[in-house]
Amino acid sequence: MGPIRTTTPKADRGAAPGANLFTELAAQVHRSGLMRRRYGYYWSKIAILFLALAGALWAFVWIGDTWWQLFTAVVLAILFAQAAFLGHDAAHRQIFVSGRWNNWMSLVIGDLMVGMSYGWWQHKHTRHHANPNKLGTDPDIELPVIAVTAETAQHDHGPLVAWLRAHQGILFFPILLFEGVSLHASSVRRVLSRGHLEHRTIEIIFLTVRLVGFIALLFIVLSPGIAATFLAVQLGIFGFHLGIAFAPNHKGMPIVPRTMKIDFLRRQVMMSRNIRGNRVLDFFMGGLNYQIEHHLFPSMPRPHLRRAAPLIATYCRQVGVPYTQTGLLEGYAIVVRYINRVGLGERDVFTCPLIEQRTHLAALTYAPPAAAE
């Protein structure tokens, strides 16, 4: 199984004027040493995570059948979410130079520790990175319940989904509590479905051990009522943790029409949003608060993203490419307002009407770079 196949080019041959802007930025980033591997950082993180999970499971068995175990459920949910972030880093080849090492780390962390199919996620995430927020291409804007585009909102999915979408601004955060169940279910469907999936047998074994084994452990140690509540809390917090990390990255940013072609730098920067914060926020969001830097340089080790952000922001200002950065609460407010307007069926779901937005995107795509500010 290969790594996430992002389309980071050396140059955008045949693209719009200014397409070589990324090449110039990439040269600056490489000269700054920001693509250098951080083995000490990642080996320490892997060791701490494995020890923390082992300690949490030992504490779970030791504490026994009591409602106090709900605190253990919260701890495990956070640890599983952090493991998912680490698996994401490995899938993008941030940890090791060897693709094989990164692949196996992703399989062990994703399937065996988290219970999420690496093969399913890899296929989905590769398409997202190639064309973020592009209609008909980015699977992250084709969600089963929440509509994030006017096109999706117009589809008829029955009265229940219609009602949910009409109230999705209010229900957005509660819906995230079900994200954990959705991720596990999608993973199981993928490994059991037809179609090519490298390492299918290994994924089935790992997922079975993780999902069936974990549930069995819960009902062995806990009485049925406490076990069911424990599982609900763990899955809810796990999904919510991942959901609030992913939510502000692209939602509410421009939607790219199906036929529009944009050079790599603008395609990745203009459709992504960074979230300002300190190192605590970096930890809880798995580094995904530096979404622009991650999309431009997906194999950049996570600890370098913070250092790369000011360099890339300055470069974007110099060449006239909009670089969006907000605070955490402001980012969530933008997302909620945006999906609320989409769910209510308004056609002007962006800052400007759709036709104006397309004109604006086209101008930014084909116009020569602006002078430095």
Side-chain angles (χ1 to χ4, degrees):
M1 181 182 300
I4 296 300
R5 296 177 180 86
T6 49
T7 54
T8 306
K10 291 185 178 179
D12 283 293
R13 295 183 177 86
N20 64 337
L21 292 177
F22 176 77
T23 306
E24 300 171 14
L25 174 62
Q28 291 186 26
V29 168
H30 280 274
R31 284 196 300 268
S32 301
L34 294 171
M35 301 302 295
R36 177 176 52 85
R37 293 292 185 269
R38 292 290 300 274
Y39 292 110
Y41 170 87
Y42 276 114
W43 278 119
S44 299
K45 203 168 188 66
I46 291 168
I48 292 171
L49 180 63
F50 273 76
L51 288 173
L53 277 171
L57 291 174
W58 176 86
F60 168 78
V61 175
W62 180 77
I63 293 171
D65 188 25
T66 170
W67 286 103
W68 289 105
Q69 288 280 26
L70 297 186
F71 289 101
T72 313
V74 173
V75 172
L76 281 173
I78 294 172
L79 290 176
F80 287 142
Q82 289 300 316
F85 292 142
L86 192 58
H88 169 266
D89 291 359
H92 280 294
R93 303 191 70 168
Q94 295 178 20
I95 300 180
F96 307 108
V97 173
S98 167
R100 184 179 179 86
W101 277 61
N102 282 303
N103 292 338
W104 276 102
M105 184 61 68
S106 298
L107 284 166
V108 170
I109 293 177
D111 291 74
L112 189 58
M113 293 180 65
V114 180
M116 189 168 72
S117 167
Y118 169 49
W120 163 76
W121 180 85
Q122 179 202 36
H123 178 66
K124 175 176 179 289
H125 201 60
T126 298
R127 290 184 292 148
H128 162 69
H129 263 266
N131 289 283
N133 274 21
K134 186 169 184 176
L135 290 172
T137 306
D138 182 2
D140 285 6
I141 61 173
E142 299 172 358
L143 305 177
V145 176
I146 294 176
V148 297
T149 68
E151 181 180 281
T152 304
Q154 294 170 1
H155 294 169
D156 183 14
H157 290 282
L160 177 59
V161 174
W163 182 87
L164 287 172
R165 287 181 173 173
H167 300 82
Q168 64 182 11
I170 299 172
L171 297 175
F172 178 67
F173 287 106
I175 287 174
L176 293 181
L177 293 170
F178 298 93
E179 181 66 13
V181 176
S182 176
L183 291 172
H184 292 317
S186 297
S187 297
V188 172
R189 278 198 307 269
R190 180 67 183 93
V191 299
L192 296 180
S193 65
R194 295 182 178 180
H196 176 73
L197 181 66
E198 199 168 356
H199 300 304
R200 181 187 300 273
T201 301
I202 293 171
E203 290 211 56
I204 290 175
I205 293 172
F206 281 1
L207 284 175
T208 301
V209 171
R210 165 60 176 86
L211 298 177
V212 177
F214 184 69
I215 293 174
L217 178 64
L218 295 186
F219 282 89
I220 289 172
V221 175
L222 305 175
S223 55
I226 298 178
T229 307
F230 182 103
L231 188 60
V233 170
Q234 184 269 309
L235 287 172
I237 299 299
F238 168 70
F240 190 81
H241 188 170
L242 292 180
I244 61 174
F246 293 132
N249 298 342
H250 303 282
K251 293 177 178 61
M253 298 302 290
I255 300 295
V256 183
R258 295 171 184 270
T259 57
M260 178 170 284
K261 295 183 179 180
I262 308 174
D263 67 85
F264 184 80
L265 181 69
R266 292 181 175 88
R267 183 164 76 237
Q268 302 299 341
V269 175
M270 292 173 56
M271 314 312 157
S272 304
R273 177 192 295 113
N274 275 16
I275 301 298
R276 289 188 299 268
N278 53 30
R279 294 186 185 278
V280 174
L281 183 68
D282 293 356
F283 172 80
F284 277 101
M285 296 193 73
L288 297 178
N289 45 319
Y290 302 105
Q291 191 67 195
I292 293 173
E293 288 68 34
H294 173 60
H295 263 256
L296 287 172
F297 301 97
S299 61
M300 179 182 289
R302 192 195 309 183
H304 288 168
L305 295 173
R306 170 178 280 269
R307 290 175 50 202
L311 183 156
I312 293 173
T314 299
Y315 182 84
C316 288
R317 285 196 299 269
Q318 291 172 349
V319 299
V321 175
Y323 181 101
T324 302
Q325 184 173 230
T326 69
L328 182 63
L329 296 181
E330 180 186 0
Y332 289 141
I334 292 171
V335 170
V336 170
R337 285 199 301 269
Y338 169 74
I339 63 172
N340 185 58
R341 295 180 65 188
V342 174
L344 291 174
E346 294 188 21
R347 297 304 302 271
D348 59 336
V349 296
F350 312 109
T351 303
C352 303
L354 183 57
I355 187 66
E356 293 184 20
Q357 179 192 316
R358 292 186 179 185
T359 302
H360 177 62
L361 279 171
L364 286 171
T365 303
Y366 300 112
E373 295 181 359

